[in-house]
């Protein structure tokens, strides 16, 4: 048997089991080696009952003192055992008569399970147990017992048996060592085979604490290779783009210059620099793949507009996609205003559009009479045919995620070649993490805000002081300012979101009868939302009660006060985004984070981060440390690649080394690079094809 053989060559694996294993992504014997345990149990030592600690999982033996069934609502079988150092109760809710009969007084049993505090002494509920014959001791193991990821219908014992066989096969044909020797040596990493064996069958003296944290050198060895696989895959996408054709947008210089000089403001130096980077990309005959990172309010939209203008001035089409209708609508308005003098009216495309309007848009997009299209992800659904699409702009890309981004790239292809791509995000992420997540992109950073912006002053206040805050809203609005009141986000439930917003709206209209109060929430029809937002923008509404639908991009400079309810439930980056809705005008702005006391330590720390800084990069770094990368990169919606061993927060520090290794390997052998990608990402081997 060899490691690359099919799983059915293993003893005990028939077609039915093979199908179940396929669901875990296991096809070949070697795949089993990379199915790593989630945790370990220690059955290497017998623990004295007198020395048990609640919450641990232990192996004990003892003599049965008493076995009885009692009724506590349901039937319980209680078995009291003792090993001389103390007594332990085994409790069973499901048991057969035979089982009951096994526990004769005086019988010796060994059992393994979680120790819990019971009424009188420690208990184990439904432990694994064995009746011991006379003079037979409990069987201890030589190595820690691995616990594998559960799959329906495949028991742990079976997985242990299969990995045993795979480990044996590994002795004959070890998995190819794909990392360059100098790197494993310099980093002091164990060999691949060594690492695999250790992780599947750790010796009794292994540092379990370190292993559970994923920081053992053997885990780091595998995490390194896994990060490398993802990185290589993204880099090969990047390299592919350099071989692909795109329309070189060499014209449009005069139009762009005129546009910039006609703007009502002067571009910041950071905007100028990023625009130069984009223009130089667009003039090349290969697709641009560029990410703009810039804090909330740094002025990304106008940069995107300039890129679009260049494409349009070359007689081609540009499309801009936003994650929500409100944001897309706002872009549509901005672009309409900016481009009015040039006689360019953007076409509109969204999911909720009426059929007739949609048909008109589709027609204009297909025959090229619409040079610019603004919309939501409806832009890239079936039935949308572009005439000559040269540029795709994706705003707030963190809402879309890696897979969607790559899939979009494939969709935009036209007979003229690949469109240029510009993705923008207001969620800046730390450099090492960006290396892992955006390795297929070139990055530009707008690290400067337009002049005159004052940092938003932020305070955290318990919601027991809601009355004071309502007063504060009254006086701000009385002096001509406007305010947002953002309602609690209720996970995955638009209905509850809406009810909470409705309740706050009632409370506020009653408490503030003199104010014009509006309500915008996610369940409204786009036209209604639009009406509410517009009324707020025009100052007809003074206080806007809203759910987090206003999170991204909405621009109302006269709004200078924001109240966020249940702030303790939201992500830091999200709060930072919300807060970015104020501080856009000349007046000093304030943000009040209302929380429900008492706050835990982490929650306190999180709110303190927002109080102490207005810098999106610092917020993002702290968010990452406190919550993990999923929130930051939009994994919730789209699924970041599932890492098997690596953890982007814990292991991001490996990225600089990963990058060096990747360059070495790609220079030396494309084949090795491909083999690493295949090993970790499967035959699909790239993000776009999953
Ligand atoms: P974001 O980067 O968050 O998307 P926007 O593009 O919405 O920011 O810009 C925020 C506001 O700043 C808009 O009203 C925009 O017109 C304005 N703005 C952009 N660039 C400048 C600038 N250089 N000077 C002054 N205002 C600017
Ligand atoms: Mg924006």
């Amino acid at each position: 048997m060899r490691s690359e053989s099919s799983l059915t060559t293993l003893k005990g694996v028939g077609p039915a089991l093979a199908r179940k294993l396929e669901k875990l992504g296991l096809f070949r014997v070697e795949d089993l080696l990379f199915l790593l345990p989630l945790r370990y149990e220690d059955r290497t030592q017998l623990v004295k009952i007198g020395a048990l600690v609640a919450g641990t999982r232990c192996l004990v033996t003892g003599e049965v003192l008493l076995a009885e069934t009692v009724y506590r609502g349901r039937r319980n079988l209680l078995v009291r055992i003792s090993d001389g150092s103390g007594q332990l109760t085994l409790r069973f809710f499901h048991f057969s008569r035979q089982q009951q009969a096994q526990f004769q007084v005086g019988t010796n049993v060994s059992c393994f399970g979680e120790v819990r505090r019971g009424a009188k002494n420690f208990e184990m509920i439904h432990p694994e147990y064995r009746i011991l014959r006379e003079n037979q001791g409990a069987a201890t193991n030589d190595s820690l017992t691995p616990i594998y990821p559960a799959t329906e219908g495949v028991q742990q014992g079976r997985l242990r048996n299969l990995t045993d066989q795979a480990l044996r096969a590994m002795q004959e044909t070890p998995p190819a060592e794909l990392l360059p020797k100098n790197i494993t040596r310099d980093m002091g990493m164990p060999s691949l085979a060594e690492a695999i064996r250790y992780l599947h069958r750790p010796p009794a003296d292994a540092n379990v604490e370190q292993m559970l944290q994923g920081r053992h050198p053997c885990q780091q060895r595998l995490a390194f290779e896994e990060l490398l696989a993802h990185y290589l895959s993204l880099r090969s996408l990047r390299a592919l783009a350099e071989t692909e054709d795109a329309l070189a947008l060499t014209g449009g210089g005069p139009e762009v210059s005129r546009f910039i000089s006609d703007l009502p403001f002067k571009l910041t130096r950071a905007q100028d620099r990023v625009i130069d980077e984009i223009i130089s990309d667009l003039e090349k005959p290969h697709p641009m793949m560029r990410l703009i990172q810039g804090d909330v309010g740094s002025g990304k939209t106008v940069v995107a507009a300039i890129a679009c203008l260049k494409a349009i001035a070359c007689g081609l089409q540009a499309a801009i996609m936003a994650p929500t209708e409100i944001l897309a609508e706002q872009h549509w308005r901005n672009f309409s205003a900016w481009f009015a003098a040039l006689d360019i009216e953007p076409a509109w495309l969204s999911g909720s559009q009426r059929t007739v309007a949609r048909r008109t848009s589709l027609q204009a997009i297909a025959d090229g009479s619409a040079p610019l299209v603004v919309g939501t992800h409806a832009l890239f659904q079936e039935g949308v045919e572009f005439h000559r699409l040269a540029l795709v702009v994706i705003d707030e890309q963190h809402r879309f995620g890696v897979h969607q981004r790559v899939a979009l790239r494939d969709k935009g292809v036209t007979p003229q070649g690949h469109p240029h791509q510009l993705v923008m995000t207001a969620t800046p992420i730390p450099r090492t993490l960006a290396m892992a997540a955006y390795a297929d992109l070139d990055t530009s950073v707008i690290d400067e805000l337009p002049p005159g912006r004052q940092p938003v002053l932020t305070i955290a206040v318990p919601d027991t002081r809601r009355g004071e805050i309502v007063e504060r809203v009254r006086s701000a609005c009385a002096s001509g300012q406007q305010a947002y009141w953002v309602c609690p986000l209720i996970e995955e439930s638009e209905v509850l979101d809406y009810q909470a917003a409705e309740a706050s709206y009632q409370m506020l209209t009653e408490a503030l009868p003199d104010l014009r109060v509006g309500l915008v929430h996610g369940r409204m029809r786009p036209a209604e939302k639009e009406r509410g937002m517009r009324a707020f923008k025009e100052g007809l509404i003074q206080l806007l009660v809203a759910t987090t639908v206003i999170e991204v991009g909405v621009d109302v400079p006269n709004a200078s006060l924001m109240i966020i309810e249940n702030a303790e439930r939201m992500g830091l980056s999200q709060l930072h985004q919300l807060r970015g809705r104020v501080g856009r005008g000349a007046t000093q702005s304030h943000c009040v984070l209302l929380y429900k006391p008492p706050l835990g330590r982490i929650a306190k720390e999180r709110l303190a981060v927002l109080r102490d800084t207005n810098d999106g990069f610092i917020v993002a770094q702290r968010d990452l440390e406190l919550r993990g990368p999923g929130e930051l990169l939009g994994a919730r919606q789209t699924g970041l690649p599932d890492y098997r061993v690596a953890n982007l927060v814990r292991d991001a520090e490996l990225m600089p080394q990963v990058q060096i290794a990747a360059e070495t390997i790609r220079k030396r052998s494309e084949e090795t690079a491909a083999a690493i990608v295949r090993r970790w990402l499967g035959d699909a081997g790239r993000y776009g094809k999953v």
Side-chain angles (χ1 to χ4, degrees):
M1 176 182 48
R2 300 169 58 83
S3 341
E4 67 267 32
S5 316
S6 120
L7 284 174
T8 46
T9 59
L10 295 178
K11 235 186 263 140
V13 183
L17 181 56
R19 266 194 304 279
K20 284 182 190 160
L21 294 169
E22 272 178 27
K23 290 209 181 104
L24 267 184
L26 306 169
F27 299 91
R28 292 160 308 164
V29 175
E30 180 174 313
D31 295 336
L32 277 168
L33 300 175
F34 291 90
L35 175 77
L36 294 171
L38 294 174
R39 56 189 178 83
Y40 303 92
E41 286 177 351
D42 189 353
R43 301 175 194 216
T44 63
Q45 284 171 47
L46 261 184
V47 179
K48 283 275 168 224
I49 292 177
L52 289 176
V53 177
T56 56
R57 296 171 66 81
C58 300
L59 182 67
V60 299
T61 59
E63 184 185 326
V64 175
L65 300 180
L66 173 78
E68 55 177 355
T69 40
V70 297
Y71 289 84
R72 295 275 146 73
R74 68 219 260 210
R75 215 161 57 110
N76 281 209
L77 170 62
L78 301 181
V79 180
R80 179 112 39 90
I81 64 170
S82 162
D83 66 355
S85 70
Q87 296 188 1
L88 175 72
T89 304
L90 317 180
R91 185 185 290 273
F92 300 86
F93 302 116
H94 312 282
F95 51 92
S96 63
R97 191 167 301 206
Q98 269 158 309
Q99 270 177 308
Q100 202 175 342
Q102 287 179 316
F103 295 109
Q104 295 289 338
V105 173
T107 311
N108 281 309
V109 295
S110 78
C111 45
F112 182 87
E114 186 181 333
V115 182
R116 297 166 169 242
R117 217 175 288 286
K120 285 200 208 94
N121 40 35
F122 283 132
E123 292 189 352
M124 281 185 186
I125 295 173
H126 277 273
E128 292 172 39
Y129 70 92
R130 221 149 48 94
I131 305 292
L132 301 175
R133 272 172 279 124
E134 222 161 306
N135 298 326
Q136 187 188 19
T140 52
N141 294 346
D142 297 334
S143 56
L144 299 176
T145 309
I147 306 296
Y148 290 97
T151 326
E152 216 157 299
V154 189
Q155 306 292 331
Q156 287 295 327
R158 177 55 69 73
L159 285 170
R160 262 172 242 153
N161 171 289
L162 295 179
T163 43
D164 266 337
Q165 296 187 56
L167 288 166
R168 242 175 283 133
M170 182 173 80
Q171 271 166 342
E172 276 169 47
T173 46
E177 189 66 64
L178 299 171
L179 298 187
K181 278 233 170 48
N182 56 341
I183 286 175
T184 49
R185 196 186 48 227
D186 289 353
M187 295 185 68
M189 289 195 277
S191 77
L192 180 61
E194 222 177 301
I196 287 174
R197 175 169 308 285
Y198 193 97
L199 294 175
H200 281 282
R201 302 290 179 267
D205 63 355
N207 183 342
V208 178
E209 200 52 38
Q210 191 185 35
M211 294 183 69
L212 289 179
Q213 289 170 6
R215 293 185 186 278
H216 192 278
C218 289
Q219 287 161 314
Q220 294 281 294
R221 163 68 182 77
L222 292 176
F224 186 90
E225 191 173 312
E226 186 176 31
L227 289 171
L228 180 64
H230 285 269
Y231 185 81
L232 283 168
S233 162
L234 286 172
R235 290 309 289 170
S236 72
L237 266 180
R238 180 74 197 80
L240 188 65
E242 263 150 42
T243 68
E244 285 166 348
D245 295 329
L247 293 161
L249 310 180
T250 47
E255 287 86 346
V256 167
S257 302
R258 203 172 321 127
F259 179 84
I260 291 175
S261 61
D262 286 350
L263 280 173
F265 46 75
K266 189 172 169 316
L267 294 175
T268 62
R269 256 171 314 165
Q271 284 171 318
D272 273 331
R273 172 171 39 77
V274 171
I275 288 165
D276 285 347
E277 288 167 352
I278 292 170
I279 286 181
S280 113
D281 283 351
L282 292 176
E283 291 181 346
K284 293 187 185 128
H286 308 295
M288 166 172 78
M289 295 171 74
R290 185 168 289 278
L291 169 75
I292 304 182
Q293 292 191 56
D295 209 342
V296 189
S298 61
K300 296 183 289 294
T301 319
V302 69
V303 170
I306 288 165
C308 291
L309 178 57
K310 193 162 167 66
I312 296 166
C314 292
L316 301 165
Q317 284 176 306
I320 172 158
M321 179 172 86
T324 64
E325 298 231 345
I326 287 191
L327 188 54
E329 282 156 14
Q330 180 174 290
H331 284 330
W332 189 87
R333 270 198 305 279
N334 272 334
F335 280 55
S336 299
W338 283 331
F339 290 156
L342 300 164
D343 221 13
I344 300 167
E345 168 150 1
W348 171 252
L349 207 59
S350 84
S352 64
Q353 205 170 9
R354 296 264 160 86
T355 321
V356 181
R358 179 179 162 81
R359 207 174 295 142
T360 313
S361 286
L362 288 178
Q363 180 60 38
I365 294 167
D367 67 20
S369 56
L372 178 63
V373 190
V374 180
T376 58
H377 53 265
L379 271 179
F380 288 91
Q381 271 154 12
E382 291 301 313
V384 185
E385 298 282 344
F386 287 88
H387 182 62
R388 295 188 83 191
L389 182 64
L391 170 67
V392 178
V393 179
I394 304 173
D395 194 14
E396 303 299 347
Q397 103 85 29
H398 68 285
R399 290 295 203 88
F400 294 103
V402 183
H403 287 114
Q404 271 177 323
R405 163 156 48 85
V406 175
L408 270 184
R409 176 146 57 232
D410 292 344
K411 274 205 117 164
V413 187
T414 65
Q416 292 85 31
H418 290 254
H420 296 283
Q421 270 206 33
L422 186 62
V423 301
M424 310 198 287
T425 176
T427 309
I429 61 173
R431 197 179 61 93
T432 47
L433 185 53
M435 268 184 198
Y438 299 137
D440 59 329
L441 301 173
D442 299 317
T443 307
S444 296
V445 184
I446 306 185
D447 49 5
E448 184 185 354
L449 293 180
R453 295 271 167 82
Q454 299 178 35
V456 178
L457 293 178
T458 303
I459 53 169
V461 173
D463 64 6
T464 45
R465 286 168 54 195
R466 188 185 299 259
E468 272 169 60
I469 304 304
V470 172
E471 269 319 300
R472 199 163 164 170
V473 171
R474 186 204 305 277
S475 69
C477 292
S479 69
Q481 296 299 306
Q482 287 170 280
Y484 291 101
W485 189 288
V486 182
C487 296
L489 170 83
I490 292 161
E491 296 272 322
E492 266 106 56
S493 168
E494 269 191 354
V495 179
L496 293 180
D497 259 5
Y498 150 75
Q499 287 170 352
E502 187 84 348
S504 298
Y505 175 73
Q506 291 300 341
M507 183 276 285
L508 288 163
T509 42
E510 277 162 34
L512 300 166
D514 299 334
L515 292 193
R516 297 184 300 277
V517 186
L519 174 64
V520 170
H521 57 74
R523 292 189 91 207
M524 284 178 158
R525 288 224 314 276
E528 288 176 275
K529 267 189 278 189
E530 160 78 27
R531 226 176 334 212
M533 290 307 303
R534 176 163 301 179
F536 188 60
K537 203 161 181 164
E538 289 170 356
L540 302 174
I541 286 172
Q542 294 164 287
L543 172 62
L544 184 69
V545 181
T547 52
T548 51
V549 293
I550 61 153
E551 180 191 344
V552 278
V554 183
D555 196 28
V556 181
N558 192 46
S560 65
L561 176 60
M562 168 165 291
I563 320 296
I564 305 177
E565 280 196 87
N566 286 98
E568 79 280 3
R569 290 207 216 141
M570 297 190 202
L572 286 188
S573 290
Q574 191 184 19
L575 287 168
H576 179 68
Q577 295 270 322
L578 280 170
R579 174 172 68 173
R581 301 306 110 224
V582 294
R584 298 187 158 227
T587 324
Q588 173 64 58
S589 289
H590 296 267
C591 175
V592 179
L593 305 173
L594 278 182
Y595 63 84
K596 216 184 244 4
L599 280 187
R601 186 181 58 82
I602 297 213
K604 241 183 229 150
E605 264 180 61
R606 286 156 46 80
L607 295 185
V609 171
L610 289 165
R611 205 183 51 214
D612 296 344
T613 185
N614 267 277
D615 183 330
F617 275 91
I618 297 176
V619 171
Q621 177 68 47
R622 295 292 289 137
D623 203 10
L624 178 66
E625 290 161 10
L626 293 167
R627 291 222 304 182
E631 297 301 324
L632 232 45
L633 296 175
R636 270 239 233 103
Q637 289 91 341
T638 53
L640 251 195
D642 279 329
Y643 291 87
R644 288 190 249 173
V645 192
N647 170 316
L648 277 185
V649 180
R650 184 188 63 215
D651 303 326
E653 66 200 38
L654 294 174
M655 284 311 297
Q657 294 290 340
V658 165
Q659 199 174 30
I660 294 168
E663 297 317 320
T664 314
I665 292 167
R666 290 185 53 201
K667 245 180 251 137
R668 228 182 266 170
S669 156
E670 281 295 331
E671 229 159 273
T672 309
I676 295 174
V677 172
R678 213 176 312 119
R679 175 180 285 166
W680 290 92
L681 281 100
D683 288 326
R686 55 164 287 197
Y687 286 95
K689 300 231 170 90
V690 289

